[in-house]
Amino acid sequence: MLKVHLRVFVEVENLGKAMNALADAGITGFYILEYKGMSPQDWKGFSIKEDPKSAIGLIKDYATDAVLVCSVVDEEKTDKIVESVMQALEGEKYTILEVPIRRIIVNNQDPEKERAETWLLEKEVPCFYCGENSVQRIRIDMNKAKIWCTNCGAARYYLIKGVEKEGS
């Protein structure tokens, strides 16, 4: 049975409508990604310097807050789900993508192994990229960490090479 990665781009204020339509149509789970977006008609007339700081600044200042709602669904259910979303978002701005999935590999970790919890932290400090004093979000998993600036969106990634357990 073929699966489809269904992606629905909506403006933030329409997130609830989109999620309700997806749930009513029978999806079993989803995830969201927040982003800032601009359509081609919004982009016309802009000339961007090619340095990242200028591009990020332009997007931050002029782009619309939006959300990407994603779900993996059975291909034969896709049309019904898409119709439900289109009906719920009639008159609103949205984009729907259907991406066929060739293969899904799920690695269920060994249940005998201990799973470390994810830490989510925030600290207000000067950003390593834009230099502004702003909240830096920190996510620490078992073997990796991500730190990103809430002002400019710049991110740093770290791999943790070893973990020391108590009593080891």
Side-chain angles (χ1 to χ4, degrees):
M1 177 183 315
L2 188 64
K3 298 279 189 180
V4 172
H5 190 222
L6 189 62
R7 300 172 185 174
V8 181
F9 294 84
V10 295
E11 292 176 340
V12 169
E13 59 270 11
N14 294 318
L15 175 60
K17 287 181 189 178
M19 289 172 53
N20 287 336
L22 290 164
D24 291 346
I27 66 162
T28 58
F30 60 88
Y31 63 95
I32 65 169
L33 299 169
E34 295 178 74
Y35 71 97
K36 289 189 168 282
M38 295 177 77
S39 59
Q41 51 274 36
D42 297 335
W43 195 260
K44 283 184 182 171
F46 282 103
S47 178
I48 298 174
K49 295 178 188 172
E50 292 188 9
D51 69 286
K53 195 170 185 174
S54 294
I56 289 171
L58 177 79
I59 291 169
K60 194 172 84 175
D61 292 342
Y62 294 101
T64 303
D65 289 330
V67 179
L68 174 60
V69 184
C70 302
S71 186
V72 175
V73 299
D74 294 329
E75 184 181 35
E76 66 269 2
K77 295 180 181 178
T78 304
D79 288 341
K80 175 186 169 200
I81 295 169
V82 168
E83 286 174 26
S84 175
V85 171
M86 290 173 65
Q87 188 175 35
L89 296 174
E90 187 175 349
E92 304 294 347
K93 191 174 182 181
Y94 64 88
T95 301
I96 300 173
L97 298 176
E98 298 175 33
V99 181
I101 298 174
R102 289 184 39 225
R103 177 170 42 174
I104 298 174
I105 298 170
V106 178
N107 181 17
N108 290 325
Q109 70 180 38
D110 184 350
E112 300 297 317
K113 288 185 181 177
E114 183 179 327
R115 171 74 176 140
E117 67 181 85
T118 298
W119 293 0
L120 299 172
L121 310 165
E122 290 187 347
K123 183 166 178 121
E124 188 167 333
V125 295
C127 171
F128 78 98
Y129 186 78
C130 70
E132 296 294 320
N133 196 35
S134 58
V135 172
Q136 306 296 303
R137 291 201 173 122
I138 306 161
R139 178 186 173 122
I140 303 172
D141 292 312
M142 188 157 175
N143 66 344
K144 63 186 177 221
K146 175 184 177 184
I147 301 171
W148 67 99
C149 178
T150 59
N151 181 52
C152 72
R156 293 173 285 175
Y157 299 85
Y158 299 92
L159 290 177
I160 301 169
K161 297 292 185 178
V163 177
E164 192 175 308
K165 291 185 178 181
E166 255 183 63
S168 295

